[in-house]
Amino acid sequence: MNTRTELLQRAPGPILLLALAYGLLGWLSLKVAIPPDYVSLVFLPAGLAVALALLRGPAVLPGVFLGALLVQWLAHQQVGAATWTWTTLVPALGATLQAAATAFALRRWITDPDRLDAPGSVLVLLLAVAPVGSAINAGLSVPTLALGGVLPWPEVPYSIWTWWIGDALGVTLLLPAALALFGEPGRRWTPRVRSVALPMLVALVVVLGGVAAVRSTQEHSLAQRFEHESEEAASRLQRRLDALTDAVSAISQVMALGDRIDRNGFFNATAPWLTRYPGILNFRWSPLVTAGERETFEQNQARTRNEPFRVLGRNPQGGTFAAGAAAQHLPITLVEPLERNRSVLGLDILVLPATAAVAQRAIHSRSAQVSAPFHLVQETGSQKGVVMYLPVYDRARPDQLLGIVSAAFRVSDLLEATFSPSDGPAAVLNLCLLERREPSEPQLLSEPLSCTPPQAAASAQPPSRTIALRFGDRSWQLQSHPGPALLGRSRDWTAWAVTATGLAAVGLLGGFLLVITGQGRRTERLVEQRTRELAQSNASLQRLAHFDPLTGLFNRSEWNRLAQQGLDEAQRHGDLLGVLFIDIDRFKHINDSLGHSLGDELLRSLAQRMTACLRGRDVLARLGGDEFVVLLPRLRDRHGAQRAAEKLMQHLTRPMSLDGHDVTVTASLGVALYPADGDSLEVLVRHADIAMYAAKDSGRNALRFFSTDLRERLSEHLLLERELRRALSEEGGPELHLAYQPQIDLRSGAVVGVEALLRWQHPTLGSIAPDRFIPVAEQCGLIEAVDRWVLRRSVEQLQQWDAQGLAPLRVAVNISAQHIGRADFLPQLEQTLCHAGPLAQRIELEITESMLMQGQAELRERLLALTRLGPTLALDDFGTGYSNLGYLKRLPLDKLKVDRSFVTDLPGQPEDEALVRAIVSMAHDLGLQVLAEGVETAAQRDFLRQLGCDLMQGWLEARAMQPEALEAWLRQRNSMSTS
């Protein structure tokens, strides 16, 4: 392993280290921004992220994301942003996506990071991948930051442009250096640190030094302009506040005239000020009323206004009530504008503690006092207002208080009225008005938006400026931030172009250095590649020679070698040794149902399970398909082999999940022991195989040890299988033939059909009963061919009888459950019946109750499709199998066949009589016919006829006959009935 790779893997927290490196480079890059730009002219972390994503793959992306978040935090600190929003995540996500996409494009178009020193690859990097890939983060992040209010919309095109250029330059600059520093293998890239990374570093330092000089000059110019504009704004606002104080003072002088000022006089006095200064919400007059004067005062006011008037108080929620008794009252009697302020008439400003405190302070100081800022409840949003209170004294009697003039101001209107949006300080500054409270933090007076510092610059220079103001007795502060217009005027396109050109030249230098130093490296890489390919090829050949490619177990040849070694050792030491042969039951059905890919996955899982439960010295191999073999060396006794086999069966039968399918398998196991069952490996394997087949014959999911009688049974099985295959082929000649047993109508005695029964007459073995060869056909997969042969011959015989003019008969044919469950059964049946034409409706297919163990919904659909082809359905051997009566009403059956075991003891056997009676009654209620099998006596026939049974079949009427004998029997029967 390469030394640098080892160091990276051993380093604690590689993701954290990458995030810190990304953040450090980001901090340096932010220092390269020329104010007022938010984005850097060269963003080196973009190149670091692409380089590591290219060299190390997706594993580095979490570090890129964390590092990008760190850079966002640094940028927020630099521009003075106090809060984070959802928009902060977008640049981090964009940086991660950009690194992944650019690295992916490099791999796709360049195919190998090692080729980044070829001229064509470098051109692709510089002219295509770096420019296009670097547009991802800018295109995502800048509009998002504008949506979040971090960037003003007019700055979006320029910010996208500079962000894109910065990332592209970062990739172009840092990727060559990163390849030299981190490229693998290190021995090929490390020598190029001096020839690639160091020259680029020197050139980059020179360019960045020029950028720093330009930055310093522009920062100084911007700070001077900002200082001047801030002082001018503060001076203008202070003049406006002084003018508002003069307005209140002028109204107070008018009100010093006493009762001679009525509503019209108050209107005339206040109207010029309200028109001139939009920030004034209202002017109010509150005369002094003593407790003894209150009643007369309220009556005079009511009479003058021609409406009720009371001195009112108001709770903090805004509700009014009659003011309680007090030594003095200052009720509002005059207010302008009147219409929108009628609700304050009669309100005693001495009732609420906040207004009372300010009013009392004004009376005692005989000067204008301003309230603390409060929310204007009649306004929308978060508008703030203040009220100035100025006492009015009698000119003749200076100690006599006449009342108080008050004026309410909306603070944001003061700013808007003072500064025009298109001219003056408002065009270059963002202004925020605060009230200074000691020792607490200042309280915001203006709208929050105007107090949000602009974040259109990568630097907080020039910083915000705070200037003190006075309004009445209040200490206010005007805080200013550089606005878009000021920042825009400071942008120097010449400096930007020179800087970008210098950085681009450094990037081109890196590409040139990569190309001129790469020829020797490419030659060395080619030699190493050829050497590695040869070694891999040899390793693959070795593995294929000894291991199964699917499961990773030993293959047959390697197992034979290891097993022979084990047998030789057992012969030398006199040890007991076992060979265990394993075959997965019904694996072909599982493979066909789930698909070959899941079948392969099943075999891999079973191999892992068997490996886990075997001893270290046991040797497991896959012989092919679903067959496995195990060598069990150094056994103590026969029970040791049995315990190992039972443990394997227990592990194999545990349920497993394959791609959402729950699968449970069983296995048949055969065991042969040395020296009892053979003294050579070939014999032991063959005897274990024989024992395994015996386990399958016993019903599968079983274990059998080899014995002599098993060999005989297997020999007979193999003989019958081989001969049955031959008999089904053309070479078999007439060995297989059909015999037909008549089916009689119990009411009329007419022959209504026959059942086709398969017979096998072997030339040397003689007559072979169906109960001997049918199970063999089912086990070896020949039952489907047998069914097709019987059905085809039955159709041909039916056509022959029809051509001879024989009375129309229905032919019943048995179909195995194994065959009818196959996916290709219906197409094969349709192909066979297409030759029968209308005669297909006289074919009756007999199914057994074992088929009903299949899924009911799937079985019903399959049987319905079968009947649409023409044949009818009969349920054979009813009562001996599944015996679930629910299927009778759901499946498209026409007939039930009562098994001969229920007919044999009729009449006279009460249980059988009751059972047959119930079957007949139930079948007729469901609209089904009933056929009784095995009728051999007249008493049985008469009893069945009395019960209402429809049909019979048995030796009483006729045995199964060859077609010629049946034809003669039918003619004789017909002639007897006509005579």
Side-chain angles (χ1 to χ4, degrees):
M1 182 181 294
N2 186 273
T3 303
R4 290 186 294 183
T5 301
E6 292 177 347
L7 291 175
L8 281 173
Q9 292 179 348
R10 294 173 185 171
I15 297 300
L16 182 59
L17 290 177
L18 170 58
L20 293 176
Y22 190 104
L24 176 61
L25 288 177
W27 176 76
L28 292 174
S29 299
L30 291 175
K31 300 303 179 183
V32 183
I34 298 177
D37 305 320
Y38 175 70
V39 291
S40 173
L41 287 178
V42 54
F43 194 65
L44 297 176
L48 177 67
V50 171
L52 292 182
L54 178 66
L55 296 172
R56 299 291 180 261
V60 305
L61 296 181
V64 173
F65 178 77
L66 294 176
L69 280 180
L70 178 59
V71 172
Q72 286 301 302
W73 180 80
L74 293 172
H76 274 63
Q77 298 299 312
Q78 187 159 300
V79 300
T83 60
W84 283 42
T85 65
W86 63 271
T87 58
T88 308
L89 294 174
V90 176
L93 291 172
T96 307
L97 176 61
Q98 179 173 286
T102 306
F104 173 79
L106 284 171
R107 289 194 194 95
R108 171 125 184 207
W109 292 337
I110 300 177
T111 69
D112 185 355
D114 287 350
R115 293 185 59 194
L116 275 174
D117 53 10
S121 300
V122 172
L123 287 176
V124 169
L125 168 66
L126 297 180
L127 301 182
V129 176
V132 175
S134 300
I136 295 176
N137 199 12
L140 289 175
S141 300
V142 173
T144 303
L145 293 173
L147 285 173
V150 179
L151 283 176
W153 281 103
E155 293 292 321
V156 166
Y158 178 77
S159 295
I160 289 178
W161 168 257
T162 53
W163 191 314
W164 169 55
I165 292 296
D167 281 3
L169 289 174
V171 173
T172 304
L173 286 171
L174 205 60
L175 186 57
L179 287 173
L181 290 171
F182 304 116
E184 298 292 350
R187 60 186 177 82
R188 291 202 300 239
W189 281 98
T190 301
R192 304 172 72 185
V193 172
R194 294 186 299 272
S195 58
V196 176
L198 291 181
M200 289 188 65
L201 179 62
V202 172
L204 184 61
V205 169
V206 172
V207 173
L208 294 183
V211 172
V214 173
R215 174 189 173 92
S216 176
T217 301
Q218 289 196 336
E219 285 180 352
H220 180 70
S221 173
L222 181 61
Q224 285 185 330
R225 177 64 188 276
F226 175 67
E227 288 286 337
H228 172 75
E229 296 292 348
S230 298
E231 293 289 347
E232 176 63 25
S235 176
R236 183 178 296 187
L237 182 58
Q238 185 62 65
R239 291 194 297 270
R240 174 55 63 96
L241 295 177
D242 293 342
L244 295 177
T245 304
D246 293 342
V248 176
S249 177
I251 302 301
S252 68
Q253 293 176 10
V254 173
M255 299 311 296
L257 298 176
D259 294 340
R260 287 173 291 178
I261 304 302
D262 57 7
R263 177 186 172 190
N264 289 333
F266 192 73
F267 173 79
N268 293 329
T270 60
W273 299 102
L274 289 171
T275 302
R276 184 175 181 182
Y277 300 113
I280 304 175
L281 292 175
N282 56 59
F283 287 104
R284 301 174 294 190
W285 166 246
S286 301
L288 177 65
V289 179
T290 62
E293 299 170 342
R294 174 175 176 175
E295 182 177 356
T296 304
F297 174 78
E298 289 177 337
Q299 292 174 357
N300 291 338
Q301 287 291 323
R303 183 171 56 254
T304 302
R305 300 173 185 276
N306 197 24
E307 61 183 11
F309 183 88
R310 293 184 302 168
V311 177
L312 302 174
R314 184 164 64 187
N315 56 35
Q317 291 75 32
T320 59
F321 55 86
Q328 292 180 332
H329 300 280
L330 288 171
I332 298 174
T333 59
L334 296 174
V335 61
E336 288 295 338
L338 176 62
E339 292 305 321
R340 66 170 182 262
N341 294 289
R342 284 185 178 275
S343 61
V344 303
L345 290 175
L347 184 64
D348 187 354
I349 63 176
L350 295 178
V351 173
L352 286 176
T355 59
V358 181
Q360 292 291 352
R361 195 166 65 244
I363 294 172
H364 294 153
S365 65
R366 290 177 174 262
S367 62
Q369 302 290 316
V370 179
S371 70
F374 58 89
H375 288 285
L376 298 173
V377 297
Q378 296 178 343
E379 302 288 341
T380 59
S382 57
Q383 296 275 12
K384 292 289 185 66
V386 295
V387 179
M388 175 177 281
Y389 296 90
L390 184 62
V392 178
Y393 289 89
D394 193 331
R395 292 180 178 178
R397 294 174 294 172
D399 294 333
Q400 178 62 44
L401 177 66
L402 298 179
I404 286 183
V405 172
S406 58
F409 308 99
R410 184 189 293 110
V411 178
S412 58
D413 286 350
L414 294 178
L415 293 175
E416 292 177 4
T418 305
F419 307 112
S420 170
S422 59
D423 188 23
V428 293
L429 300 175
N430 283 346
L431 299 173
C432 175
L433 192 58
L434 306 169
E435 181 181 51
R436 185 68 183 176
R437 288 182 173 182
E438 296 293 347
S440 62
E441 291 297 324
Q443 182 176 1
L444 185 66
L445 293 174
S446 57
E447 284 292 320
L449 183 61
S450 64
C451 293
T452 303
Q455 298 183 9
S459 171
Q461 296 293 332
S464 61
R465 179 75 187 280
T466 302
I467 301 175
L469 302 172
R470 295 293 300 180
F471 187 38
D473 63 328
R474 313 300 291 190
S475 295
W476 286 7
Q477 294 176 342
L478 181 64
Q479 191 176 84
S480 60
H481 306 277
L486 177 63
L487 298 175
R489 293 174 188 173
S490 66
R491 180 171 290 136
D492 188 340
W493 289 92
T494 302
W496 186 95
V498 170
T499 304
T501 302
L503 293 172
V506 176
L508 292 175
L509 172 65
F512 174 74
L513 292 175
L514 279 177
V515 172
I516 64 174
T517 59
Q519 185 61 45
R521 177 176 177 271
R522 287 193 294 275
T523 302
E524 181 184 357
R525 183 185 60 82
L526 183 60
V527 173
E528 290 184 355
Q529 179 181 353
R530 294 293 181 264
T531 304
R532 184 171 58 253
E533 289 174 353
L534 181 60
Q536 292 174 348
S537 177
N538 290 334
S540 299
L541 290 175
Q542 288 291 327
R543 184 163 186 82
L544 288 174
H546 301 293
F547 294 93
D548 173 51
L550 176 63
T551 62
L553 301 177
F554 292 120
N555 58 19
R556 183 188 296 270
S557 62
E558 183 65 10
W559 185 87
N560 285 335
R561 185 183 69 82
L562 296 174
Q564 186 61 54
Q565 293 177 359
L567 180 60
D568 294 342
E569 184 177 353
Q571 291 172 343
R572 285 195 302 270
H573 297 92
D575 291 339
L576 181 66
L577 177 142
V579 173
L580 182 60
F581 207 98
I582 306 169
D583 186 87
I584 308 302
D585 296 331
R586 306 184 192 278
F587 178 75
K588 184 176 184 299
H589 173 72
I590 297 174
N591 213 24
D592 293 341
S593 301
L594 299 182
H596 293 284
S597 60
L598 289 184
D600 291 346
E601 182 63 29
L602 173 63
L603 290 176
R604 284 190 288 267
S605 299
L606 294 177
Q608 292 173 1
R609 288 187 176 186
M610 288 188 284
T611 302
C613 68
L614 290 173
R615 301 173 302 174
R617 58 175 174 264
D618 297 335
V619 183
L620 171 66
R622 176 175 178 244
L623 300 183
D626 59 335
E627 292 183 340
F628 299 85
V629 65
V630 182
L631 180 74
L632 302 173
R634 299 172 61 184
L635 294 173
R636 292 184 178 180
D637 50 30
R638 177 188 179 95
H639 298 295
Q642 183 169 353
R643 286 192 297 270
E646 290 174 347
K647 188 175 182 181
L648 280 170
M649 292 180 65
Q650 180 182 1
H651 280 71
L652 289 174
T653 54
R654 290 204 315 263
M656 67 180 68
S657 178
L658 296 176
D659 194 22
H661 299 276
D662 293 330
V663 179
T664 301
V665 301
T666 60
S668 299
L669 283 72
V671 182
L673 298 176
Y674 167 82
D677 300 328
D679 58 1
S680 70
L681 187 61
E682 179 183 359
V683 172
L684 289 172
V685 171
R686 184 169 68 249
H687 287 175
D689 190 24
I690 291 173
M692 183 273 294
Y693 273 105
K696 281 192 176 295
D697 289 342
S698 66
R700 296 184 175 89
N701 192 25
L703 165 67
R704 290 292 182 272
F705 280 81
F706 174 77
S707 61
T708 305
D709 62 326
L710 288 182
R711 177 162 37 191
E712 295 174 355
R713 286 167 53 190
L714 178 62
S715 298
E716 180 185 2
H717 180 101
L718 296 176
L719 174 63
L720 290 178
E721 178 183 346
R722 184 181 68 250
E723 292 302 307
L724 183 57
R725 291 183 186 276
R726 184 187 56 80
L728 288 170
S729 67
E730 294 182 359
E731 298 177 0
E735 293 182 28
L736 295 176
H737 61 273
L738 294 179
Y740 299 91
Q741 186 172 28
Q743 296 176 340
I744 313 299
D745 189 316
L746 281 171
R747 295 183 182 84
S748 64
V751 179
V752 296
V754 292
E755 180 180 5
L757 301 173
L758 180 61
R759 297 291 184 260
W760 185 9
Q761 186 65 36
H762 192 274
T764 59
L765 301 177
S767 179
I768 303 176
D771 59 358
R772 286 182 62 194
F773 69 82
I774 291 298
V776 173
E778 290 178 341
Q779 293 170 12
C780 66
L782 288 175
I783 191 63
E784 298 158 13
V786 170
D787 283 349
R788 291 195 297 271
W789 188 92
V790 172
L791 184 59
R792 185 173 65 253
R793 292 298 175 89
S794 298
V795 170
E796 292 172 355
Q797 187 62 62
L798 192 61
Q799 291 172 332
Q800 183 179 345
W801 285 338
D802 195 63
Q804 294 173 358
L806 202 66
L809 296 175
R810 179 177 298 276
V811 178
V813 179
N814 286 281
I815 298 295
S816 70
Q818 181 178 334
H819 188 195
I820 203 171
R822 287 186 58 87
D824 58 353
F825 170 71
L826 286 175
Q828 291 178 357
L829 178 65
E830 184 176 9
Q831 182 179 2
T832 302
L833 294 179
C834 71
H835 302 293
L839 295 180
Q841 299 179 1
R842 286 161 50 191
I843 297 294
E844 182 176 83
L845 300 180
E846 294 185 358
I847 62 176
T848 61
E849 285 190 309
S850 62
M851 186 182 303
L852 304 177
M853 295 297 291
Q854 302 178 16
Q856 289 292 309
E858 180 181 356
L859 176 63
R860 183 175 184 275
E861 292 299 323
R862 184 176 291 270
L863 294 181
L864 284 173
L866 185 153
T867 56
R868 285 194 287 268
L869 297 177
T872 59
L873 288 175
L875 187 61
D876 196 13
D877 300 333
F878 180 75
T880 63
Y882 189 49
S883 300
N884 184 344
L885 303 181
Y887 57 73
L888 294 179
K889 65 179 181 179
R890 292 191 292 269
L891 301 181
L893 301 172
D894 294 280
K895 184 183 299 181
L896 294 183
K897 297 185 70 175
V898 180
D899 187 70
R900 65 175 64 247
S901 62
F902 301 121
V903 177
T904 301
D905 295 329
L906 295 179
Q909 217 292 335
E911 289 81 2
D912 289 345
E913 289 180 1
L915 181 59
V916 174
R917 183 180 293 107
I919 291 174
V920 172
S921 175
M922 176 191 63
H924 287 169
D925 290 342
L926 294 174
L928 303 177
Q929 284 188 314
V930 180
L931 184 148
E933 295 183 302
V935 179
E936 299 180 358
T937 66
Q940 292 172 343
R941 178 194 62 196
D942 295 340
F943 180 78
L944 291 168
R945 182 187 293 131
Q946 181 182 357
L947 289 182
C949 184
D950 303 288
L951 306 170
M952 61 165 281
Q953 178 180 338
W955 288 3
L956 176 63
E957 292 291 343
R959 294 174 179 263
M961 296 172 278
Q962 298 294 326
E964 297 81 5
L966 177 64
E967 295 167 9
W969 182 82
L970 287 173
R971 294 189 186 96
Q972 181 182 2
R973 185 181 182 87
N974 291 336
S975 63
M976 292 176 61
S977 62
T978 55
S979 61

